[in-house]
Amino acid sequence: MNINLKRRVAVSAVFFLSGICFASWASRIPDIKNKLHLTEGELGGLLLGLPAGSLAALPLAGWLVHRFGSRKVAVISAILYGCVLPLLGLAETKIALLGAVALFGLVGNLINISVNTQAVGVEFHYGKTIMASFHGLWSLAGFVGGAIGAGMIDLSINPLFHFLAIGCVSLLIIFFAYRNMLTEDVNTGDSKGLVLKKPDKLLLRIGAIAFCGMMCEGCMFDWSGVYFDKVVNVDAGLVTLGYIAFMSTMATGRFVADHFTQRFGAVMLLQFSGILIFFGLLLSVLFPSVIFATVGFLLVGAGTSSVIPLSFSMAGRSKNFPPGISLALVSTIAYFGFLFGPPVIGFIAEHLNLRASFLLIAFVGAMIAVLSYSGRGILRKPDNTTH
């Protein structure tokens, strides 16, 4: 196995580690809710600790990666991720759970920025786009983690023991992966201090595209089941059909996106992605039947699959910022889309209806195509730069 392949496998393993830890937590939220006797409102309030911790980690992650290198940050944060996970199962009070959730979000974004910086470096050494395949493994880990969680629930295994087992697997993964990870990041620059500069036009454009992509993802993650329940009016057993349809094409799309990027270019693929999201949601809104809504959600999954990987890939090739800082800047902009998107949908649904909310998200998806087309000159510049 050549050195580049070893690096790719190692970084892929860390993406998988991150995905399975997150999915393990998500799969046991109902059990933890029942354990602490939380109402829906209390649970919603406590879960805000996750985005709060994640948001707090973004500037910290960029500085740590720039100062100490992505390998050290990725290894330490991966170890912490596996160790923090059991704390979620240990929490016996609301305050303890809030603290554990916030810490889980913070460490999760440390690993997110550092491992994506590693992916940028591996992609550079490969000499071609491979970013989407890394994110595909995160999505695959989500399926695996969800399946394991379902099995643990079926066997009536306590969340704490479930999380301890996944934590041990995570530590094992990072133990074997770290030795083949990149020891030096590309385009680190001369300064080891925190670079206090506002995003340039390139990063602002990429950030805006990523913002729209994350807003669409947040919509599907949080509201797809509700849409099938309240608008499509399916039986209880089919409520998750839309989410499954979305996740299946999103995961599959990430494994084939690199091929299409090589053939058609990142900018054109982003334009096509925005069009897919728009027409997928429009189809679901205009014809809210099981068949048409499922097909629509399949299109949305395919459209969203490449937006974040391509955004991170282009951001990592910025000439004005080291990868860790450019990724943190873009992630910060994008994350607000994920944070504010679902509440906006709820607000519009309450005052109008859910179909109106999804129609708005359809136009947000269309903005990905518009921003990619209008900024194609700026977005193509990173493809011609070197690290």
Side-chain angles (χ1 to χ4, degrees):
M1 188 184 295
N2 64 51
I3 186 63
N4 283 336
L5 183 56
K6 287 181 179 179
R7 290 167 173 165
R8 185 173 185 176
V9 170
V11 175
S12 297
V14 182
F15 269 93
F16 189 88
L17 178 160
S18 174
I20 200 169
C21 282
F22 184 84
S24 298
W25 147 247
S27 70
R28 303 308 298 266
I29 290 176
D31 294 295
I32 293 173
K33 174 181 178 292
N34 293 332
K35 172 188 171 184
L36 298 181
H37 307 290
L38 302 172
T39 65
E40 282 76 10
E42 288 174 332
L43 177 63
L46 291 172
L47 291 180
L48 285 175
L50 188 70
S54 299
L55 201 58
L58 286 169
L60 176 65
W63 178 77
L64 287 174
V65 168
H66 186 54
R67 179 66 178 84
F68 300 105
S70 63
R71 184 178 184 235
K72 288 181 181 179
V73 179
V75 170
I76 293 173
S77 58
I79 293 171
L80 289 174
Y81 211 37
C83 294
V84 171
L85 182 60
L87 295 180
L88 298 165
L90 273 173
E92 296 289 344
T93 65
K94 297 172 186 177
I95 295 298
L97 181 61
L98 178 62
V101 168
L103 185 59
F104 191 65
L106 187 147
V107 176
N109 241 355
L110 287 179
I111 195 172
N112 174 44
I113 299 301
S114 57
V115 76
N116 272 287
T117 304
Q118 281 277 311
V120 167
V122 174
E123 184 178 68
F124 169 73
H125 289 294
Y126 254 76
K128 63 179 183 180
T129 303
I130 58 172
M131 180 66 79
S133 65
F134 290 121
H135 287 253
L137 279 166
W138 193 95
S139 299
L140 178 62
F143 278 111
V144 174
I148 292 174
M152 293 286 187
I153 293 169
D154 189 55
L155 295 171
S156 300
I157 294 176
N158 188 289
L160 174 59
F161 296 114
H162 174 191
F163 295 161
L164 282 169
I166 297 299
C168 290
V169 171
S170 300
L171 294 176
L172 195 62
I173 290 174
I174 197 62
F175 176 78
F176 286 103
Y178 86 94
R179 64 193 68 187
N180 289 320
M181 295 172 69
L182 287 171
T183 56
E184 294 185 7
D185 297 326
V186 294
N187 188 30
T188 56
D190 298 326
S191 173
K192 288 297 181 182
L194 181 60
V195 179
L196 297 174
K197 294 169 63 179
K198 67 177 183 179
D200 56 18
K201 290 183 179 179
L202 170 65
L203 293 185
L204 284 174
R205 176 74 61 163
I206 296 171
I209 291 169
F211 175 92
C212 294
M214 289 290 274
M215 196 167 182
C216 294
E217 284 189 31
C219 166
M220 301 307 290
F221 285 141
D222 290 3
W223 289 95
S224 57
V226 180
Y227 192 85
F228 262 64
D229 181 29
K230 302 299 183 182
V231 178
V232 185
N233 291 315
V234 298
D235 296 332
L238 294 177
V239 167
T240 60
L241 179 61
Y243 177 78
I244 293 171
F246 164 74
M247 283 298 296
S248 64
T249 49
M250 183 179 184
T252 304
R254 286 180 167 173
F255 286 109
V256 300
D258 292 325
H259 169 74
F260 289 108
T261 303
Q262 289 293 318
R263 183 166 183 179
F264 301 107
V267 176
M268 185 174 290
L269 188 57
L270 281 172
Q271 293 172 28
F272 185 63
S273 297
I275 293 170
L276 280 179
I277 295 170
F278 174 74
F279 281 107
L281 286 170
L282 190 63
L283 182 66
S284 304
V285 169
L286 295 179
F287 307 101
S289 65
V290 175
I291 294 177
F292 285 111
T294 301
V295 171
F297 281 29
L298 286 169
L299 293 176
V300 176
T304 56
S305 64
S306 60
V307 176
I308 297 303
L310 285 176
S311 297
F312 281 11
S313 179
M314 289 189 291
R317 293 196 296 271
S318 168
K319 293 189 295 183
N320 298 326
F321 296 88
I325 290 176
S326 63
L327 287 172
L329 289 170
V330 168
S331 294
T332 300
I333 299 171
Y335 200 78
F336 279 103
F338 192 80
L339 186 62
F340 294 121
V344 167
I345 292 170
F347 178 80
I348 294 175
E350 185 175 345
H351 289 80
L352 296 174
N353 55 59
L354 201 54
R355 292 174 73 181
S357 298
F358 272 60
L359 184 62
L360 169 66
I361 302 302
F363 284 101
V364 171
M367 283 302 300
I368 295 172
V370 173
L371 289 167
S372 302
Y373 179 78
S374 62
R376 59 193 182 279
I378 298 174
L379 295 174
R380 285 191 178 118
K381 286 182 180 179
D383 295 330
N384 300 322
T385 64
T386 61
H387 295 278

